[in-house]
Amino acid sequence: MSEILNKIRQLKSIAEANHLDSENDHLHEWVKMYSKLGGASEQEKQKKPVRSNSVPVRDDTYDPANTLRYVLPIQRAETIAKINLKRTRTINAPKARKITFEDAKNHWINAQLIKKEDEFVNWQKTNVFVGTWNVHGSLPTSSLKDWLQGTLTIEDGHTIDPDFYVIGLQEMETNTEAYIRYDPAKENAWVKGIIDSLPNNGEDYYKIESKQLVTMLIIVIAKKSHKPFISEVASTYAGVGLMNMMGNKGGISVRFRFHDSYLCFVTSHLAAFTDRTEKRNQDFTEISKRLIFPYRYDPVTDYISYSWNDGGDEGVSFLESNNVIRDWTTEASIFHNDFLIWCGDLNYRINLNEAIIKNYIRQDKLDVLLDYDQLSIERDSGRTFPMFDEGQINFHPTYKYDAGTNQYDTSEKRRAPSWTDRILWKKGRKDINKQNLKLLSYSNCMKMMMSDHKPVRALMELNVRKIDSHRQKQTRDDLVKQLIDSKDEQPRGEISSSYVDFGKVHFMEYKETNIILENTGQVLTVFKFLPKDNTGVILPPWLQVTPISGVVAPGEKVVIRFEVTVDPTISAPLNRGDQKIDDILILRLENSKDFFICVSGDYIKTCFGTPLEELSTMTVPISDTAAKNLERLKPSTAINKNTNIANSPPSTAPLNQVDLPQQLWKILNFLWNPNMFCIDSLFLEHGDLIVSTYIRECLDHGQQFDTNILLGGDNTSEDNLSKVTSTLSDITLNDDDSKHTKESISANSMIDVMVAFLECLPESVVPASLYERALEASESVEAMNNFKSTLPLYHFNVFLYIGMFLRQAIDSAPASIKKERESRIVELFTVLLRPPIDFKERNPVVAKEKREKFLLQLLKSLTPLRK
């Protein structure tokens, strides 16, 4: 490592000698990163300590959840995302497919054929142009070549030659007669106008299918050379407009087989108006449920069909969770396809007013607007199109324009610009590691002027399957040979171990271990984990097992992975000692014996992830100043632990005591002094993971903080020296580093620990049941004071105590950074409140602003503290 660092120093010197420095902005990225992380010259090293963190010292996102990385042993990025998802909405476990012993052979062979496709499949790259346009009742009176030919060049300069054109149109008709009488005139005009605008005037293309539903139309066009390989063409539609039936809103779909892959395209027009997000979500679900095609059995592609129905397809599982019960051996949904592409006027808007949106467009700040985009918000929350992906949007909103111009709506209505017109595609399965769809380009076409919308198009490359039936038969026969008949028809198996021991398990730590199941018999067998009682629960909440069931062939081995993570949503009973990481799982081989697997671990209890009520049972002293101010700010009626403040009897507690978690008191007691408040970087930078670990251990073990370690100074004992070695050895403080630098790191580590502590509370300081009332309290000081009286006892104490600390931290900040500190505090301490599960947060950015407004009102309601 030292040789590598020396080499990097030499290269950096060469870069500087050639004026590749930051002043000229020619500095290579590796040089910038190297300098930032402390690998520079000895002279540069003197400027700041090298921290143990591998994460940035400053965090521009100001998300409280990000602080967890600086405090807890989080190894996987998805850990925080999973916690947020569990806190946001109810997660329904996917329905496991029951594999009978009789079906096991077929299940195993089909699963193996999917894995071995490359042995008998030739993959053909196929280019598809997908376009959507709300044409606002217009006809193709002028050429469409600017859209259909002029947008075929992708970002790398290559021009795409589409094998297929798929066009979805909305609002073909604007008169009410279209609801009553079908007239193919406009459909025919658009089909002709589109084909005539294709390369070589469409001579090389033909229409596969077109389908109209009142004002919507889908047209699928292919190269004539592909005609012999296209079959099983079918179309269907679903109206979800008036009475959830009329076709003024709804969807149309076309499905067909190309070689041995199934392609499905949907166009839709969903409910209009900004405030109808929920109806749009319902429209998506309803359309998905009702677009059904006939299914034709083919032994060559049967293994593909089997994979759609094996329980692992997100789309089919979505239908079944929405009570769709159909015979998938005779019917197919839009999700029973290799490729599913959805385009249309989805009508999702931007959650800002017209003037603000246009201002951001003029500044080309599309990334800001996308934070308020309803479709992105709803998809991220899992409320609509959860199994779909979309390309990065780098084009201006496509609605609403003055027809014939590129000018946004100047009429009296002044509709706010929005990305209403979108193209999405179904994601591939996580357990099948193939990328069969690649987005080449995603953009709009500003040259088309005949409507108040601009058309959108996506260029995609598909990997289409061409099965060699002879090679496929060989592969299948080889698989069948593994399942030879035997006189011994009794399934047999062995597992590598009956014990899974995770050792010490810390809060938020991810651990995994494996056991191997081997089929030692001569017949195929089914394995599955069984519930131990009538509840049907197979696994404890802290454990994940993959796979939970499956099929194993003779001589085959299956790796079964066991994963443990204790997060804030399940930690409380473990921290109380009511539960342990200790369970026995039943693994059954069908028609054979059961294996009993003992799963154990030594969970290290912690104050993190423990409810406030349990942490606050000990009465602890607080500083005289804080106690007097806390007493002054309490309502005149005191607090009973079992009631809200408003109905509490008189208090007999000493003035200098309060029911408060001693862990929180220790943190604030360390920080609550003028020396800390004068640190410029306080709240503005993150601390160090090693220091945070030391702080957490002190909190968990009931130990006092050693100020010689945290603030510098002479070590008073060998024990202190040992602590320095074990907890702070990864922080390199050079001789010229001041004591102030160490104070800054320790103080910000303490802030990180406090924020992480609050983030990990199973119930936030402001209970979720009071979330909406809390947001209302941001309107005035009076409303805030009334709101405080509704908080339960322990929550009230923590809420008020932290608020007082933050108020003084702002008031005592150096003048040069006071505004920045206040802004950072307001953004960071939104961690004090959290919406309840399944709360429909339609606009996360606005909701975040409301939470920040709540914090500001809290700080405003707390007058400067008296000394």
Side-chain angles (χ1 to χ4, degrees):
M1 178 59 72
S2 60
E3 293 178 3
I4 294 173
L5 289 174
N6 287 332
K7 183 64 175 177
I8 293 176
R9 290 191 188 102
Q10 293 175 14
L11 293 171
K12 185 172 185 294
S13 298
I14 295 171
E16 289 173 341
N18 287 275
H19 305 292
L20 298 177
D21 52 28
S22 57
E23 292 180 1
N24 294 313
D25 201 25
H26 295 147
L27 197 63
H28 292 292
E29 286 302 316
W30 66 264
V31 180
K32 294 179 182 177
M33 187 58 64
Y34 166 73
S35 301
K36 179 179 179 181
L37 296 179
S41 65
E42 291 301 321
Q43 180 180 0
E44 291 171 325
K45 274 188 174 182
Q46 302 295 324
K47 296 179 182 178
K48 60 168 62 178
V50 179
R51 302 169 183 242
S52 61
N53 289 343
S54 60
V55 285
V57 173
R58 283 199 174 236
D59 181 4
D60 294 333
T61 60
Y62 290 175
D63 184 350
N66 289 341
T67 304
L68 298 180
R69 300 177 298 163
Y70 297 83
V71 178
L72 296 164
I74 298 175
Q75 296 101 329
R76 305 194 306 169
E78 61 264 34
T79 299
I80 295 175
K82 285 183 178 179
I83 295 171
N84 290 337
L85 195 61
K86 287 163 75 173
R87 283 175 167 175
T88 302
R89 62 188 175 97
T90 302
I91 307 299
N92 295 319
K95 296 180 181 178
R97 282 291 187 276
K98 293 181 180 179
I99 306 170
T100 64
F101 188 72
E102 293 74 20
D103 292 336
K105 178 179 177 180
N106 192 37
H107 176 93
W108 183 81
I109 289 175
N110 286 322
Q112 293 300 311
L113 286 173
I114 287 287
K115 293 179 181 178
K116 297 176 178 289
E117 272 192 311
D118 290 342
E119 295 181 9
F120 56 86
V121 169
N122 297 313
W123 299 98
Q124 175 177 305
K125 293 189 182 300
T126 302
N127 294 324
V128 180
F129 178 111
V130 181
T132 181
W133 195 8
N134 182 318
V135 296
H136 196 51
S138 59
L139 284 168
T141 53
S142 57
S143 174
L144 306 175
K145 290 184 178 180
D146 284 335
W147 179 33
L148 302 177
Q149 290 190 50
T151 62
L152 297 181
T153 301
I154 61 177
E155 282 71 13
D156 64 4
H158 286 84
T159 299
I160 301 302
D161 181 22
D163 296 283
F164 294 90
Y165 277 89
V166 180
I167 308 297
L169 302 178
Q170 305 83 42
E171 291 193 22
M172 282 178 49
E173 300 275 3
T174 54
N175 61 67
T176 55
E177 289 183 12
Y179 294 90
I180 303 170
R181 184 174 61 88
Y182 167 66
D183 183 357
K186 282 199 172 183
E187 176 182 340
N188 294 335
W190 274 104
V191 170
K192 183 177 186 305
I194 288 170
I195 291 179
D196 288 347
S197 297
L198 299 183
N200 195 27
N201 295 320
E203 290 294 326
D204 301 326
Y205 293 88
Y206 81 104
K207 184 187 81 171
I208 298 177
E209 176 71 311
S210 65
K211 188 75 171 179
Q212 183 176 349
L213 172 62
V214 187
T215 67
M216 285 170 278
L217 174 66
I218 189 170
I219 306 166
V220 181
I221 296 167
K223 281 189 172 180
K224 292 178 179 177
S225 58
H226 295 321
K227 192 170 186 177
F229 311 109
I230 295 172
S231 61
E232 300 179 43
V233 179
S235 61
T236 186
Y237 60 82
V240 296
L242 298 174
M243 298 180 291
N244 207 34
M245 294 177 58
M246 294 291 288
N248 59 313
K249 295 292 186 290
I252 322 172
S253 185
V254 173
R255 179 183 192 261
F256 61 92
R257 177 172 171 175
F258 179 46
H259 290 292
D260 299 309
S261 288
Y262 287 87
L263 284 65
C264 184
F265 300 93
V266 179
T267 191
S268 67
H269 195 187
L270 307 186
F273 304 113
T274 302
D275 60 353
R276 303 200 69 196
T277 304
E278 180 64 24
K279 180 61 170 72
R280 286 186 278 277
N281 294 350
Q282 293 171 359
D283 287 350
F284 161 75
T285 300
E286 195 64 22
I287 291 169
S288 299
K289 290 165 62 175
R290 288 164 51 190
L291 292 178
I292 301 295
F293 302 92
Y295 169 74
R296 183 189 305 172
Y297 172 77
D298 184 341
V300 174
T301 59
D302 182 51
Y303 76 97
I304 305 165
S305 305
Y306 195 92
S307 71
W308 296 331
N309 298 312
D310 66 359
D313 186 274
E314 190 177 356
V316 177
S317 297
F318 172 80
L319 294 182
E320 293 177 349
S321 67
N322 280 279
N323 304 313
V324 174
I325 301 174
R326 288 184 177 271
D327 182 2
W328 298 129
T329 63
T330 60
E331 294 178 304
S333 72
I334 57 174
F335 299 112
H336 288 82
N337 294 284
D338 295 288
F339 304 99
L340 169 59
I341 300 170
W342 192 307
C343 67
D345 181 354
L346 307 187
N347 250 324
Y348 287 93
R349 308 303 173 93
I350 297 172
N351 285 325
L352 291 171
N353 67 45
E354 177 230 5
I356 294 175
I357 294 173
K358 289 181 177 178
N359 184 48
Y360 279 127
I361 292 173
R362 282 191 293 270
Q363 299 176 59
D364 206 30
K365 291 184 176 180
L366 301 185
D367 55 332
V368 176
L369 290 179
L370 285 168
D371 287 339
Y372 296 85
D373 172 62
Q374 290 179 345
L375 179 57
S376 301
I377 292 167
E378 297 301 299
R379 282 183 56 233
D380 289 346
S381 69
R383 292 189 288 261
T384 195
F385 290 92
M387 68 292 295
F388 283 81
D389 265 338
E390 183 181 20
Q392 177 64 40
I393 293 179
N394 296 314
F395 50 89
H396 284 190
T398 54
Y399 168 86
K400 175 180 179 162
Y401 292 85
D402 292 336
T405 75
N406 285 331
Q407 175 74 41
Y408 283 112
D409 187 17
T410 59
S411 69
E412 289 184 8
K413 293 183 178 180
R414 297 182 69 89
R415 300 287 194 198
S418 293
W419 286 286
T420 55
D421 311 282
R422 312 288 273 269
I423 301 172
L424 305 95
W425 67 92
K426 184 175 175 288
K427 294 181 282 191
R429 281 177 55 161
K430 294 179 181 178
D431 58 342
I432 300 178
N433 191 22
K434 288 188 178 76
Q435 184 185 359
N436 286 335
L437 186 151
K438 179 182 179 183
L439 179 68
L440 302 176
S441 181
Y442 187 31
S443 188
N444 63 357
C445 180
M446 296 298 292
K447 293 182 179 180
M448 306 308 295
M449 303 284 189
M450 65 182 70
S451 171
D452 58 353
H453 289 246
K454 298 298 180 184
V456 174
R457 69 94 180 97
L459 300 175
M460 299 177 176
E461 181 183 88
L462 314 183
N463 260 352
V464 169
R465 184 186 293 108
K466 297 169 67 176
I467 296 175
D468 185 319
S469 57
H470 176 70
R471 281 159 43 200
Q472 183 194 45
K473 184 178 183 303
Q474 275 189 323
T475 302
R476 181 182 287 274
D477 290 345
D478 291 342
L479 293 171
V480 172
K481 284 180 183 177
Q482 295 184 42
L483 310 178
I484 56 174
D485 293 332
S486 171
K487 294 180 181 179
D488 181 9
E489 296 184 354
Q490 177 70 28
R492 303 178 189 278
E494 297 294 337
I495 56 175
S496 58
S497 176
S498 295
Y499 299 92
V500 173
D501 185 4
F502 289 107
K504 290 186 176 181
V505 178
H506 294 271
F507 178 69
M508 291 289 282
E509 180 182 29
Y510 169 85
K511 281 192 167 184
E512 68 172 61
T513 187
N514 300 324
I515 65 170
I516 296 173
L517 169 65
E518 181 178 6
N519 186 341
T520 57
Q522 298 298 312
V523 294
L524 194 78
T525 187
V526 176
F527 69 90
K528 58 184 176 182
F529 285 89
L530 301 178
K532 295 189 288 293
D533 52 40
N534 294 331
T535 63
V537 176
I538 298 174
L539 304 175
W542 41 264
L543 182 65
Q544 282 189 308
V545 176
T546 309
I548 204 76
S549 64
V551 178
V552 58
E556 190 177 39
K557 298 179 180 179
V558 175
V559 176
I560 301 177
R561 185 171 71 251
F562 296 77
E563 303 167 279
V564 64
T565 305
V566 178
D567 65 49
T569 65
I570 60 171
S571 58
L574 288 161
N575 283 327
R576 281 195 303 267
D578 295 344
Q579 294 181 6
K580 294 183 178 180
I581 296 183
D582 187 11
D583 203 358
I584 297 176
L585 305 183
I586 304 171
L587 174 60
R588 170 166 295 176
L589 288 186
E590 197 74 25
N591 297 331
S592 184
K593 63 181 179 180
D594 291 341
F595 298 102
F596 295 89
I597 302 173
C598 298
V599 182
S600 62
D602 180 14
Y603 177 67
I604 309 302
K605 295 179 184 178
T606 176
C607 61
F608 284 74
T610 301
L612 282 177
E613 289 80 359
E614 296 174 21
L615 292 172
S616 301
T617 53
M618 182 181 296
T619 305
V620 297
I622 61 174
S623 66
D624 289 339
T625 300
K628 289 176 182 177
N629 281 290
L630 183 60
E631 191 67 25
R632 175 172 62 84
L633 291 167
K634 280 187 178 181
S636 57
T637 53
I639 302 168
N640 182 295
K641 296 182 181 180
N642 299 317
T643 64
N644 282 348
I645 295 171
N647 302 316
S648 303
S651 172
T652 58
L655 182 64
N656 67 333
Q657 292 189 336
V658 65
D659 291 309
L660 191 76
Q662 62 169 312
Q663 296 83 2
L664 190 57
W665 172 78
K666 284 183 178 180
I667 293 172
L668 292 176
N669 196 49
F670 177 88
L671 292 167
W672 205 326
N673 68 74
N675 290 335
M676 291 295 170
F677 292 148
C678 289
I679 297 173
D680 286 351
S681 66
L682 189 67
F683 295 97
L684 304 181
E685 293 183 357
H686 285 291
D688 188 273
L689 181 58
I690 300 296
V691 181
S692 297
T693 301
Y694 167 70
I695 295 169
R696 280 198 302 114
E697 290 179 355
C698 288
L699 297 177
D700 286 337
H701 298 147
Q703 299 171 347
Q704 296 300 317
F705 300 133
D706 191 323
T707 54
N708 288 314
I709 291 176
L710 295 174
L711 302 179
D714 296 331
N715 295 304
T716 58
S717 69
E718 290 298 322
D719 184 52
N720 282 344
L721 184 60
S722 173
K723 289 179 184 176
V724 174
T725 303
S726 64
T727 62
L728 301 178
S729 59
D730 286 348
I731 296 182
T732 304
L733 292 173
N734 302 295
D735 293 339
D736 293 340
D737 286 313
S738 65
K739 178 182 175 182
H740 182 76
T741 304
K742 199 167 189 178
E743 287 181 351
S744 173
I745 293 174
S746 296
N748 281 309
S749 297
M750 202 70 71
I751 296 290
D752 285 344
V753 171
M754 176 168 60
V755 173
F757 174 87
L758 297 171
E759 173 70 22
C760 290
L761 288 172
E763 176 73 277
S764 54
V765 175
V766 174
S769 60
L770 298 176
Y771 178 73
E772 291 186 84
R773 189 166 180 177
L775 298 185
E776 293 171 1
S778 64
E779 296 303 322
S780 67
V781 171
E782 181 183 2
M784 178 61 68
N785 288 331
N786 290 335
F787 170 75
K788 292 173 191 174
S789 68
T790 66
L791 291 171
L793 167 66
Y794 301 118
H795 294 257
F796 170 83
N797 287 337
V798 172
F799 181 73
L800 201 55
Y801 197 48
I802 290 176
M804 291 158 48
F805 164 72
L806 297 177
R807 176 73 268 169
Q808 190 160 343
I810 294 169
D811 293 340
S812 302
S816 60
I817 53 92
K818 181 173 288 191
K819 281 288 185 185
E820 188 178 4
R821 179 179 292 182
E822 181 180 41
S823 176
R824 171 66 162 163
I825 283 174
V826 167
E827 292 185 278
L828 200 55
F829 281 85
T830 56
V831 72
L832 290 174
L833 66 166
R834 189 188 305 146
I837 291 176
D838 291 330
F839 183 80
K840 293 179 178 178
E841 202 82 272
R842 294 299 180 201
N843 196 334
V845 177
V846 172
K848 179 175 178 288
E849 292 171 355
K850 288 181 179 179
R851 290 192 291 271
E852 291 170 3
K853 186 178 178 182
F854 172 81
L855 260 292
L856 282 170
Q857 195 62 259
L858 167 64
L859 296 171
K860 185 178 179 181
S861 71
L862 300 171
T863 55
L865 303 180
R866 301 177 211 160
K867 300 294 179 81

